[in-house]
Amino acid sequence: MAMSCSSSSSSVRLRLNLAPSRRRIAAPANLQVLRRVGVAAASIRLRAARATGGDARQPFDHVPRGVEEVGEMEEDEERRRRRGLKIAVVGFGNYGQFLTRTLVRQGHTVLAHSRSDYSAVAAELGATYFTDAHDLVECHPDVVLLVTSILSAEAVLRSLPVHRLRRDTLFADVLSVKEFPRNLLLGTLPEEFDIICTHPMFGSTSSRARAAACCAEHDAHAAETQFLTHTVGRTLAMLELQTTPINTKGYETLLRLVDNTCSDSFDLYNGLFMYNNNSTELLNRLEWAMDSVKKRLFDGLHDVLRRQLFEGSPPLDSVSAAAAGSPPDDAPIDGDLDSDNEEEQSE
C-alpha cells in the first residue's frame, strides 16, 4: 500500500482505488459475496488529492460512496453495511425475480430493468422498476447484475449507457457459460469497472489468469452437467413418452427429465450449445456412444444369424419355443397328422 500527500497546506481528501492488476475478478461461491463487495474485497492504493468545491460536485468521482474524510471512514463504512448495496438487476425474468427476492431479504436495494414491463412484479418484490436504462444508471448502482439469456447478453450489455455509471461500479453475470461472458465484459466495459463472473456452484478467484482457467473449467463441466442433460431430455421428448400403468422408477426419472428440460426455453438450450466451446465435441461423443451401443446389439444378432446359416444352429424361434415347453410352429396340432393319415387310407 503506497501513500503520497500533497505539500500544500490546504485540506486533503483520501481516495481509495482498486489496484489495476487486481480489478478483474472471477466467480464468487454464491451471491452472499455481494454483501462483502467494497474496497476491502481487493488490495487498495491510497492517494491524497486536494479537495475543491468542483470535486464535491463531480458525479463520477473516484471516491467510494460513503468515504469522504479520514476521520469519518469507519463510521461511513458501517453505515454503508447497514443500508446494504444498491444492486441493478438487468433482466427481470424468472431468475432475475428469484435473485431479487433473495437480495431484498438480505437488505439490499434492488433496481430492476428488462425489455418487458415487470413494474407490478417488481413492486410486489420490494424493488424499483425502470423501463428506461438511462433512468436506471442515473441511480448509480453499486452493482449491475446481468441476468439475461446467453443469446441476448451482448445486445443487452451494449444497450446500457455504462459511461454514465460510476467508475468503481461492479458488473456481475449469472450466465450458464463463463468464457463467453468473461470475454464480453472484459472487451465491452471500461477498464475501471470491476467484473465478477459468477455461477452459484463455483468459488471465486482473484486474478485474470486464474479467472480464465476457472471459466474454462466451468464450461467443460457445464457441457456435461447442463448441455448433456438438456440434450438427453429434449431427445427423449421427441419420442413423446407417456406414463404407463407399469412405470418403473427409472422410467419416471426419464419423464421428469423431459419435463424439467423442456420447461426451459429453447433459447437457453441453444445458448448452451452456441456459447460453450465444449458442446460440439460432447455431441460427437454422444453420437459415438449411441453408435457403439447399437453396434454391440447388432453384432450379437449377426453372430446368431451366422451360426444358423453356417453351423446348423436351430432358429431363434425354435430355441425359444423349446425353452418355453411349446411345440415349434410347423409341428402338428390336435392330432392333425393322424387325421391326414386316415384320409389317405380311406382313399
Side-chain angles (χ1 to χ4, degrees):
M1 179 182 298
M3 180 173 179
S4 61
C5 296
S6 171
S7 60
S8 172
S9 61
S10 60
S11 61
V12 297
R13 179 175 61 200
L14 289 178
R15 295 181 177 179
L16 302 179
N17 291 321
L18 295 175
S21 62
R22 300 288 300 277
R23 296 201 63 83
R24 304 293 175 157
I25 48 182
N30 53 54
L31 289 178
Q32 294 286 340
V33 76
L34 295 181
R35 288 180 160 181
R36 301 191 296 274
V37 167
V39 295
S43 60
I44 58 177
R45 182 175 69 243
L46 291 177
R47 68 182 178 87
R50 183 176 303 171
T52 66
D55 286 338
R57 292 191 295 271
Q58 293 300 317
F60 307 130
D61 203 354
H62 268 301
V63 179
R65 291 168 295 284
V67 179
E68 292 295 335
E69 301 295 338
V70 176
E72 300 175 357
M73 183 179 298
E74 293 183 359
E75 179 182 350
D76 289 343
E77 284 298 314
E78 178 63 25
R79 185 182 304 115
R80 181 179 179 179
R81 285 194 293 269
R82 287 199 302 268
R83 73 169 174 83
L85 294 172
K86 189 186 298 181
I87 303 174
V89 176
V90 178
F92 207 63
N94 292 335
Y95 196 61
Q97 295 170 29
F98 166 76
L99 293 178
T100 296
R101 292 187 188 94
T102 302
L103 296 172
V104 170
R105 187 166 59 247
Q106 292 177 354
H108 302 295
T109 300
V110 176
L111 315 173
H113 171 67
S114 195
R115 292 176 296 180
S116 302
D117 185 5
Y118 290 104
S119 54
V121 177
E124 291 178 1
L125 298 177
T128 304
Y129 191 80
F130 296 86
T131 56
D132 192 319
H134 291 267
D135 295 335
L136 174 74
V137 300
E138 284 183 359
C139 295
H140 303 300
D142 302 296
V143 181
V144 177
L145 201 55
L146 196 62
V147 195
T148 67
S149 69
I150 301 172
L151 298 180
S152 63
E154 182 173 3
V156 171
L157 180 62
R158 295 188 184 281
S159 71
L160 298 177
V162 297
H163 60 282
R164 302 179 66 181
L165 293 167
R166 293 180 184 271
R167 286 176 286 185
D168 61 350
T169 302
L170 169 66
F171 264 77
D173 82 279
V174 293
L175 302 187
S176 297
V177 295
K178 290 273 74 73
E179 287 192 286
F180 165 68
R182 171 186 173 274
N183 295 334
L184 174 65
L185 294 174
L186 287 174
T188 304
L189 297 176
E191 178 66 24
E192 295 82 6
F193 284 18
D194 296 319
I195 292 174
I196 296 181
C197 296
T198 74
H199 194 290
M201 296 186 296
F202 291 83
S204 62
T205 55
S206 57
S207 70
R208 289 195 181 196
R210 293 182 64 192
C214 180
C215 291
E217 181 181 5
H218 170 279
D219 285 2
H221 291 314
E224 297 178 351
T225 61
Q226 294 180 295
F227 179 69
L228 176 61
T229 301
H230 279 259
T231 298
V232 173
R234 290 188 174 273
T235 301
L236 293 175
M238 300 299 293
L239 301 179
E240 299 183 349
L241 303 178
Q242 302 294 328
T243 187
T244 72
I246 57 171
N247 283 3
T248 63
K249 289 185 177 181
Y251 185 74
E252 290 178 350
T253 299
L254 296 181
L255 294 179
R256 287 195 299 271
L257 176 62
V258 172
D259 290 340
N260 291 339
T261 54
C262 293
S263 63
D264 292 322
S265 67
F266 190 83
D267 281 348
L268 170 62
Y269 175 59
N270 192 27
L272 293 174
F273 171 70
M274 292 289 295
Y275 294 96
N276 190 329
N277 196 39
N278 305 277
S279 296
T280 300
E281 179 190 358
L282 185 59
L283 276 181
N284 292 334
R285 289 167 53 198
L286 181 62
E287 185 178 10
W288 169 85
M290 187 64 187
D291 289 341
S292 298
V293 172
K294 290 169 58 178
K295 183 177 184 300
R296 186 173 180 181
L297 291 174
F298 287 117
D299 282 352
L301 177 61
H302 293 162
D303 288 341
V304 173
L305 294 176
R306 289 190 193 100
R307 285 197 298 269
Q308 293 176 7
L309 292 173
F310 302 108
E311 300 177 12
S313 299
L316 284 177
D317 55 354
S318 299
V319 175
S320 301
S326 302
D329 292 340
D330 56 353
I333 301 176
D334 295 334
D336 289 343
L337 182 57
D338 294 338
S339 60
D340 290 341
N341 291 335
E342 291 176 356
E343 292 177 1
E344 292 175 0
Q345 291 175 0
S346 61
E347 292 175 354

